[in-house]
Amino acid sequence: MCLPVTRQVLRALWLFALLDAGLLLDGGMLYPRESSSREVKELSGLWVFRADRSPSRKQGFDEAWYKQRLEETGPVIDMPVPASYNDITQDPAIRDFIGWVWYERELVVPTHWIRDDTIRVVLRVGSAHYNSIVWVNGVSVTQHEGGHLPFEAEVSDVIRKDPTGSCRITTAVNNTLTLETLPPGNIQYMNDRTRYPDGFFVQSIYFDFFNYAGIHRPVLLYTTPKAYVDDITVVTNFSDNTGLVSYIVSVKGAVTAALKVTLMDKQGHCVASSNGPFGVLKVQDVKLWWPYLTHENPGYLYSMEVRLSAADGRTTYEDVYTLPVGIRTVNVTSTQFLINNKPFYFHGVNKHEDSDIRGKGLDWPLIVKDFNLLKWLGANSFRTSHYPYAEEILQMCDRHGIVVIDESPAVGIKDIRSFGNASLSHHLIVMEELVRRDKNHASVVMWSVANEPASEMPPADYYFKTVIKHTKDLDPTRPVTFISSSNFARDKGVPYVDVICINNYFSWYHDPGHLEVILIQLNTEYENWHGKYKKPIIQSEYGADAVPGVHVDPPVMFTEEYQKIVLQNYHKVFDQKRAQYLIGELIWNFADFMTTQGVTRVVGNKKGIFTRQRQPKAAAFVLKERYWRLANETGRLPLWTKYPCSL
Ligand code: GCB
């Protein structure tokens, strides 16, 4: 459906009104970009690190470690940032550490940042898991709860107190999860001294991945002028061959400001422009943003330059921010998912931010390798199971046309105490942080508010109704889902979602070893869900563990053969149902990943079709053959990708 321009403006204004009115959070969270008015200083590299091993884990606060150099407080070690700290050392106590760890980095701030008080200096942390407190030169500048989203603080005044420009950033990060965090967890103290040593405790978690911790994404300082572009929201549409980009710009630091908005194509030619804080840019002969393998030129991005001029009598401010914009629409019917009014079939993967040594730390070689593997596989999409991924990854998705289901960190909500008001309030804030950060990514086509919560519990109805409604209010332009396991008769959140996403593991967790049950059980499952709710369905997880290199025929569980046949049996049902209401299939999982230790995990979860080191198992070739076949049937392959075997 293409909205006429006036409705488009209204829709954007409505969004603006909502953003203005019902929000729990204040301000924008634009990705820091250099421009003629903005500088960025990245602080990746070696930081100083100390885990607070005191029994209470409070020694660092009692002794105010932030007031001095960390090495003056006791023994410190080198720690790379970004990275999880867990797998960096040879010390099992660091790998399994729970509590506060301390990071520190010293730097010299450029002189003009200190001298020029028309410059605003902001400290930004891409993500740190889970609770963080940050001090600059011993002064507390910000705190944040939540492990997967950025936070920042203006630090201009603090750094200006020391005219030498010396700047010490201290960050305390605590990975303790409670029943009210997302994801939830619970600390249990074992007090039986005949069985456990003094002070013994464990953190129980209800999710299946290692609770990696530390500073996971880049920390940086960036500047803006005192009057600056604080946030931009774009909503895109098209009518015939005219693209429509509704935008809203919010400005801070100036009572009045002049804004000039220019949209440029890839060659840098201006294709539309406008003045003022909101408006609609009309793009003739629009190049739409198309997913990978559906168009010969996928992932087309325009650049939207926002130029602000303001004056306060004393100074004139100029701020320039350039946002990549893909023009596309997303709509859902009872049986289809439409991108640019064309049915889109998700053939993709679920991932984790996970790798050897780095844990969940952002790592460019890994990111680029994963995108090359996605393309090799013929995957057009992934779900950010089970938390928001780094912005850098979403930017890659925008550019390569990889479609994203963007998931919140609400995984493992299994305890009834995690459905209370405190959890709900935090969940609403997390959805706001997520939408605020990712709303302008063309690749993000759906929000997932949770994975497999115990949604049969009575309070789940109010809880998910509220979270889903809030998410739709925040962003009326994208569908919302949550990921269900197989309990269609009792699932409380499903009535409110736009797309049903189902995880199941037939012949694995149910009827292990019985490959013959898949066809009948999956068929029954789909008929039940679609019959009851009349909504399109995505198979959001399915799969089987395979220990690489283990072969048995006839297949048995944990072999590469068994994994292959599980997939092939699922595919038979997918092929029947995708003619009706199945709109996607996402394998669990793209790659093997680390979990907590347990009797069902052999050094982590082995359901990857690639190993943790990104080498293919037999199942990867099954999927590759299938995904390219699906792409050939449903898409318009770019010329250079027509011959996957030669890739
Ligand atoms: C699931 C979960 C996922 C697990 C997977 C498994 O349903 O959503 O986090 O890793 O099953 O392998 O058990």
Side-chain angles (χ1 to χ4, degrees), residues 609-636:
I609 54 163
F610 296 102
T611 64
R612 201 181 191 209
Q613 296 70 34
R614 276 45 181 185
Q615 297 305 323
K617 301 181 193 172
F621 295 95
V622 171
L623 224 56
K624 178 186 180 215
E625 201 275 323
R626 174 173 177 79
Y627 283 1
W628 280 97
R629 187 161 48 75
L630 289 173
N632 271 308
E633 275 174 33
T634 57
R636 277 172 288 154

mmCIF file of all heavy atoms in Angstrom, residues 609-636:
data_model
loop_
_atom_site.group_PDB
_atom_site.id
_atom_site.type_symbol
_atom_site.label_atom_id
_atom_site.label_comp_id
_atom_site.label_asym_id
_atom_site.label_seq_id
_atom_site.Cartn_x
_atom_site.Cartn_y
_atom_site.Cartn_z
ATOM 1 N N ILE A 609 25.319 -24.389 11.602
ATOM 2 C CA ILE A 609 25.647 -25.058 10.335
ATOM 3 C C ILE A 609 27.103 -24.745 9.974
ATOM 4 O O ILE A 609 27.691 -25.388 9.116
ATOM 5 C CB ILE A 609 24.686 -24.658 9.199
ATOM 6 C CG1 ILE A 609 24.630 -23.135 9.049
ATOM 7 C CG2 ILE A 609 23.293 -25.230 9.454
ATOM 8 C CD1 ILE A 609 24.048 -22.683 7.744
ATOM 9 N N PHE A 610 27.647 -23.730 10.658
ATOM 10 C CA PHE A 610 29.086 -23.494 10.618
ATOM 11 C C PHE A 610 29.623 -23.743 12.020
ATOM 12 O O PHE A 610 28.900 -23.592 13.012
ATOM 13 C CB PHE A 610 29.403 -22.046 10.217
ATOM 14 C CG PHE A 610 28.958 -21.702 8.822
ATOM 15 C CD1 PHE A 610 27.795 -20.971 8.607
ATOM 16 C CD2 PHE A 610 29.689 -22.127 7.717
ATOM 17 C CE1 PHE A 610 27.371 -20.661 7.319
ATOM 18 C CE2 PHE A 610 29.275 -21.817 6.426
ATOM 19 C CZ PHE A 610 28.113 -21.091 6.221
ATOM 20 N N THR A 611 30.893 -24.116 12.102
ATOM 21 C CA THR A 611 31.508 -24.252 13.421
ATOM 22 C C THR A 611 31.687 -22.854 14.015
ATOM 23 O O THR A 611 31.472 -21.849 13.336
ATOM 24 C CB THR A 611 32.890 -24.910 13.311
ATOM 25 O OG1 THR A 611 33.735 -24.036 12.555
ATOM 26 C CG2 THR A 611 32.806 -26.268 12.628
ATOM 27 N N ARG A 612 32.130 -22.808 15.244
ATOM 28 C CA ARG A 612 32.367 -21.502 15.856
ATOM 29 C C ARG A 612 33.467 -20.755 15.097
ATOM 30 O O ARG A 612 33.498 -19.531 15.092
ATOM 31 C CB ARG A 612 32.754 -21.703 17.325
ATOM 32 C CG ARG A 612 32.519 -20.458 18.154
ATOM 33 C CD ARG A 612 32.934 -20.652 19.590
ATOM 34 N NE ARG A 612 32.479 -19.548 20.418
ATOM 35 C CZ ARG A 612 33.087 -19.138 21.512
ATOM 36 N NH1 ARG A 612 34.169 -19.756 21.941
ATOM 37 N NH2 ARG A 612 32.600 -18.134 22.212
ATOM 38 N N GLN A 613 34.343 -21.507 14.425
ATOM 39 C CA GLN A 613 35.420 -20.876 13.646
ATOM 40 C C GLN A 613 34.971 -20.581 12.220
ATOM 41 O O GLN A 613 35.764 -20.270 11.344
ATOM 42 C CB GLN A 613 36.669 -21.771 13.633
ATOM 43 C CG GLN A 613 37.306 -21.975 14.998
ATOM 44 C CD GLN A 613 36.470 -22.847 15.928
ATOM 45 O OE1 GLN A 613 35.797 -23.780 15.471
ATOM 46 N NE2 GLN A 613 36.475 -22.550 17.215
ATOM 47 N N ARG A 614 33.680 -20.756 11.962
ATOM 48 C CA ARG A 614 33.056 -20.412 10.668
ATOM 49 C C ARG A 614 33.464 -21.341 9.534
ATOM 50 O O ARG A 614 33.583 -20.928 8.382
ATOM 51 C CB ARG A 614 33.350 -18.962 10.289
ATOM 52 C CG ARG A 614 32.433 -17.883 10.892
ATOM 53 C CD ARG A 614 32.141 -18.009 12.312
ATOM 54 N NE ARG A 614 31.225 -16.937 12.772
ATOM 55 C CZ ARG A 614 30.872 -16.757 14.036
ATOM 56 N NH1 ARG A 614 31.316 -17.560 14.987
ATOM 57 N NH2 ARG A 614 30.040 -15.789 14.359
ATOM 58 N N GLN A 615 33.665 -22.647 9.848
ATOM 59 C CA GLN A 615 33.856 -23.627 8.788
ATOM 60 C C GLN A 615 32.556 -24.401 8.597
ATOM 61 O O GLN A 615 31.857 -24.698 9.567
ATOM 62 C CB GLN A 615 35.002 -24.594 9.145
ATOM 63 C CG GLN A 615 36.353 -23.895 9.270
ATOM 64 C CD GLN A 615 36.720 -23.089 8.027
ATOM 65 O OE1 GLN A 615 36.421 -23.509 6.905
ATOM 66 N NE2 GLN A 615 37.341 -21.933 8.215
ATOM 67 N N PRO A 616 32.210 -24.749 7.334
ATOM 68 C CA PRO A 616 30.902 -25.368 7.107
ATOM 69 C C PRO A 616 30.820 -26.819 7.567
ATOM 70 O O PRO A 616 31.766 -27.574 7.410
ATOM 71 C CB PRO A 616 30.760 -25.292 5.577
ATOM 72 C CG PRO A 616 32.162 -25.200 5.059
ATOM 73 C CD PRO A 616 32.968 -24.506 6.111
ATOM 74 N N LYS A 617 29.661 -27.170 8.146
ATOM 75 C CA LYS A 617 29.337 -28.585 8.362
ATOM 76 C C LYS A 617 28.538 -29.040 7.141
ATOM 77 O O LYS A 617 28.157 -28.211 6.293
ATOM 78 C CB LYS A 617 28.489 -28.756 9.623
ATOM 79 C CG LYS A 617 29.154 -28.246 10.887
ATOM 80 C CD LYS A 617 28.232 -28.483 12.097
ATOM 81 C CE LYS A 617 28.707 -27.730 13.310
ATOM 82 N NZ LYS A 617 27.753 -27.786 14.432
ATOM 83 N N ALA A 618 28.217 -30.320 7.066
ATOM 84 C CA ALA A 618 27.489 -30.831 5.895
ATOM 85 C C ALA A 618 26.178 -30.069 5.695
ATOM 86 O O ALA A 618 25.760 -29.794 4.558
ATOM 87 C CB ALA A 618 27.231 -32.326 6.065
ATOM 88 N N ALA A 619 25.526 -29.704 6.795
ATOM 89 C CA ALA A 619 24.223 -29.027 6.703
ATOM 90 C C ALA A 619 24.325 -27.685 5.982
ATOM 91 O O ALA A 619 23.362 -27.224 5.362
ATOM 92 C CB ALA A 619 23.646 -28.823 8.101
ATOM 93 N N ALA A 620 25.481 -27.055 6.044
ATOM 94 C CA ALA A 620 25.628 -25.743 5.387
ATOM 95 C C ALA A 620 25.418 -25.895 3.879
ATOM 96 O O ALA A 620 24.826 -25.014 3.238
ATOM 97 C CB ALA A 620 27.010 -25.162 5.675
ATOM 98 N N PHE A 621 25.859 -27.017 3.324
ATOM 99 C CA PHE A 621 25.719 -27.202 1.872
ATOM 100 C C PHE A 621 24.261 -27.500 1.499
ATOM 101 O O PHE A 621 23.789 -27.117 0.436
ATOM 102 C CB PHE A 621 26.669 -28.305 1.395
ATOM 103 C CG PHE A 621 28.120 -27.905 1.580
ATOM 104 C CD1 PHE A 621 28.822 -28.287 2.709
ATOM 105 C CD2 PHE A 621 28.753 -27.096 0.646
ATOM 106 C CE1 PHE A 621 30.134 -27.883 2.905
ATOM 107 C CE2 PHE A 621 30.073 -26.687 0.829
ATOM 108 C CZ PHE A 621 30.766 -27.078 1.964
ATOM 109 N N VAL A 622 23.557 -28.191 2.409
ATOM 110 C CA VAL A 622 22.119 -28.437 2.184
ATOM 111 C C VAL A 622 21.388 -27.100 2.124
ATOM 112 O O VAL A 622 20.567 -26.837 1.233
ATOM 113 C CB VAL A 622 21.532 -29.306 3.329
ATOM 114 C CG1 VAL A 622 20.021 -29.396 3.242
ATOM 115 C CG2 VAL A 622 22.175 -30.674 3.342
ATOM 116 N N LEU A 623 21.723 -26.256 3.067
ATOM 117 C CA LEU A 623 21.029 -24.974 3.151
ATOM 118 C C LEU A 623 21.417 -24.065 1.988
ATOM 119 O O LEU A 623 20.583 -23.343 1.440
ATOM 120 C CB LEU A 623 21.380 -24.304 4.485
ATOM 121 C CG LEU A 623 20.202 -23.698 5.215
ATOM 122 C CD1 LEU A 623 19.112 -24.716 5.463
ATOM 123 C CD2 LEU A 623 20.645 -23.115 6.544
ATOM 124 N N LYS A 624 22.676 -24.127 1.617
ATOM 125 C CA LYS A 624 23.143 -23.282 0.515
ATOM 126 C C LYS A 624 22.387 -23.642 -0.767
ATOM 127 O O LYS A 624 21.894 -22.767 -1.492
ATOM 128 C CB LYS A 624 24.644 -23.493 0.331
ATOM 129 C CG LYS A 624 25.234 -22.708 -0.815
ATOM 130 C CD LYS A 624 26.693 -23.094 -1.021
ATOM 131 C CE LYS A 624 27.266 -22.297 -2.177
ATOM 132 N NZ LYS A 624 28.233 -23.041 -2.958
ATOM 133 N N GLU A 625 22.274 -24.940 -1.008
ATOM 134 C CA GLU A 625 21.587 -25.400 -2.219
ATOM 135 C C GLU A 625 20.131 -24.923 -2.190
ATOM 136 O O GLU A 625 19.593 -24.408 -3.168
ATOM 137 C CB GLU A 625 21.691 -26.931 -2.256
ATOM 138 C CG GLU A 625 21.497 -27.573 -3.607
ATOM 139 C CD GLU A 625 20.013 -27.788 -3.903
ATOM 140 O OE1 GLU A 625 19.239 -28.118 -2.974
ATOM 141 O OE2 GLU A 625 19.632 -27.600 -5.087
ATOM 142 N N ARG A 626 19.522 -25.042 -1.004
ATOM 143 C CA ARG A 626 18.110 -24.662 -0.875
ATOM 144 C C ARG A 626 17.919 -23.151 -1.027
ATOM 145 O O ARG A 626 17.028 -22.692 -1.733
ATOM 146 C CB ARG A 626 17.597 -25.127 0.492
ATOM 147 C CG ARG A 626 16.180 -24.671 0.797
ATOM 148 C CD ARG A 626 15.636 -25.273 2.059
ATOM 149 N NE ARG A 626 14.305 -24.718 2.313
ATOM 150 C CZ ARG A 626 13.192 -25.112 1.698
ATOM 151 N NH1 ARG A 626 13.250 -26.071 0.786
ATOM 152 N NH2 ARG A 626 12.031 -24.560 1.982
ATOM 153 N N TYR A 627 18.735 -22.366 -0.334
ATOM 154 C CA TYR A 627 18.533 -20.916 -0.336
ATOM 155 C C TYR A 627 18.738 -20.338 -1.734
ATOM 156 O O TYR A 627 18.001 -19.437 -2.157
ATOM 157 C CB TYR A 627 19.458 -20.241 0.677
ATOM 158 C CG TYR A 627 19.002 -20.372 2.124
ATOM 159 C CD1 TYR A 627 17.846 -21.075 2.466
ATOM 160 C CD2 TYR A 627 19.717 -19.785 3.158
ATOM 161 C CE1 TYR A 627 17.437 -21.195 3.785
ATOM 162 C CE2 TYR A 627 19.303 -19.892 4.483
ATOM 163 C CZ TYR A 627 18.169 -20.602 4.785
ATOM 164 O OH TYR A 627 17.754 -20.707 6.093
ATOM 165 N N TRP A 628 19.709 -20.875 -2.463
ATOM 166 C CA TRP A 628 19.898 -20.355 -3.821
ATOM 167 C C TRP A 628 18.732 -20.760 -4.716
ATOM 168 O O TRP A 628 18.304 -20.010 -5.584
ATOM 169 C CB TRP A 628 21.233 -20.829 -4.402
ATOM 170 C CG TRP A 628 22.360 -19.985 -3.867
ATOM 171 C CD1 TRP A 628 23.184 -20.287 -2.821
ATOM 172 C CD2 TRP A 628 22.737 -18.682 -4.315
ATOM 173 N NE1 TRP A 628 24.061 -19.251 -2.595
ATOM 174 C CE2 TRP A 628 23.818 -18.254 -3.493
ATOM 175 C CE3 TRP A 628 22.289 -17.832 -5.314
ATOM 176 C CZ2 TRP A 628 24.441 -17.018 -3.660
ATOM 177 C CZ3 TRP A 628 22.920 -16.605 -5.481
ATOM 178 C CH2 TRP A 628 23.974 -16.209 -4.662
ATOM 179 N N ARG A 629 18.202 -21.973 -4.461
ATOM 180 C CA ARG A 629 17.029 -22.388 -5.248
ATOM 181 C C ARG A 629 15.844 -21.475 -4.935
ATOM 182 O O ARG A 629 15.142 -21.002 -5.834
ATOM 183 C CB ARG A 629 16.700 -23.858 -4.942
ATOM 184 C CG ARG A 629 15.612 -24.453 -5.823
ATOM 185 C CD ARG A 629 15.634 -25.970 -5.815
ATOM 186 N NE ARG A 629 15.712 -26.557 -4.481
ATOM 187 C CZ ARG A 629 14.709 -26.615 -3.624
ATOM 188 N NH1 ARG A 629 13.524 -26.120 -3.945
ATOM 189 N NH2 ARG A 629 14.855 -27.168 -2.436
ATOM 190 N N LEU A 630 15.622 -21.178 -3.639
ATOM 191 C CA LEU A 630 14.528 -20.287 -3.263
ATOM 192 C C LEU A 630 14.724 -18.911 -3.883
ATOM 193 O O LEU A 630 13.784 -18.292 -4.375
ATOM 194 C CB LEU A 630 14.451 -20.156 -1.740
ATOM 195 C CG LEU A 630 13.961 -21.384 -0.971
ATOM 196 C CD1 LEU A 630 14.106 -21.171 0.532
ATOM 197 C CD2 LEU A 630 12.516 -21.686 -1.320
ATOM 198 N N ALA A 631 15.970 -18.443 -3.867
ATOM 199 C CA ALA A 631 16.250 -17.115 -4.433
ATOM 200 C C ALA A 631 15.941 -17.109 -5.923
ATOM 201 O O ALA A 631 15.358 -16.155 -6.449
ATOM 202 C CB ALA A 631 17.701 -16.739 -4.187
ATOM 203 N N ASN A 632 16.286 -18.199 -6.585
ATOM 204 C CA ASN A 632 16.007 -18.278 -8.018
ATOM 205 C C ASN A 632 14.515 -18.267 -8.303
ATOM 206 O O ASN A 632 14.055 -17.687 -9.280
ATOM 207 C CB ASN A 632 16.610 -19.562 -8.596
ATOM 208 C CG ASN A 632 18.027 -19.332 -9.045
ATOM 209 O OD1 ASN A 632 18.287 -18.404 -9.800
ATOM 210 N ND2 ASN A 632 18.936 -20.160 -8.568
ATOM 211 N N GLU A 633 13.755 -18.911 -7.391
ATOM 212 C CA GLU A 633 12.299 -18.971 -7.588
ATOM 213 C C GLU A 633 11.631 -17.648 -7.266
ATOM 214 O O GLU A 633 10.705 -17.231 -7.935
ATOM 215 C CB GLU A 633 11.690 -20.006 -6.627
ATOM 216 C CG GLU A 633 11.717 -21.404 -7.118
ATOM 217 C CD GLU A 633 11.216 -22.327 -6.009
ATOM 218 O OE1 GLU A 633 10.338 -21.927 -5.221
ATOM 219 O OE2 GLU A 633 11.739 -23.452 -5.939
ATOM 220 N N THR A 634 12.095 -17.022 -6.178
ATOM 221 C CA THR A 634 11.319 -15.895 -5.661
ATOM 222 C C THR A 634 11.931 -14.540 -5.978
ATOM 223 O O THR A 634 11.262 -13.529 -5.885
ATOM 224 C CB THR A 634 11.176 -15.990 -4.124
ATOM 225 O OG1 THR A 634 12.488 -16.048 -3.570
ATOM 226 C CG2 THR A 634 10.406 -17.207 -3.692
ATOM 227 N N GLY A 635 13.208 -14.513 -6.318
ATOM 228 C CA GLY A 635 13.856 -13.215 -6.447
ATOM 229 C C GLY A 635 14.286 -12.910 -7.858
ATOM 230 O O GLY A 635 13.985 -13.629 -8.805
ATOM 231 N N ARG A 636 14.968 -11.810 -7.988
ATOM 232 C CA ARG A 636 15.600 -11.446 -9.251
ATOM 233 C C ARG A 636 17.085 -11.345 -8.952
ATOM 234 O O ARG A 636 17.551 -10.385 -8.366
ATOM 235 C CB ARG A 636 15.044 -10.107 -9.750
ATOM 236 C CG ARG A 636 13.737 -10.262 -10.491
ATOM 237 C CD ARG A 636 13.144 -8.925 -10.786
ATOM 238 N NE ARG A 636 12.627 -8.307 -9.579
ATOM 239 C CZ ARG A 636 12.496 -7.004 -9.412
ATOM 240 N NH1 ARG A 636 12.867 -6.170 -10.350
ATOM 241 N NH2 ARG A 636 11.999 -6.509 -8.296
#
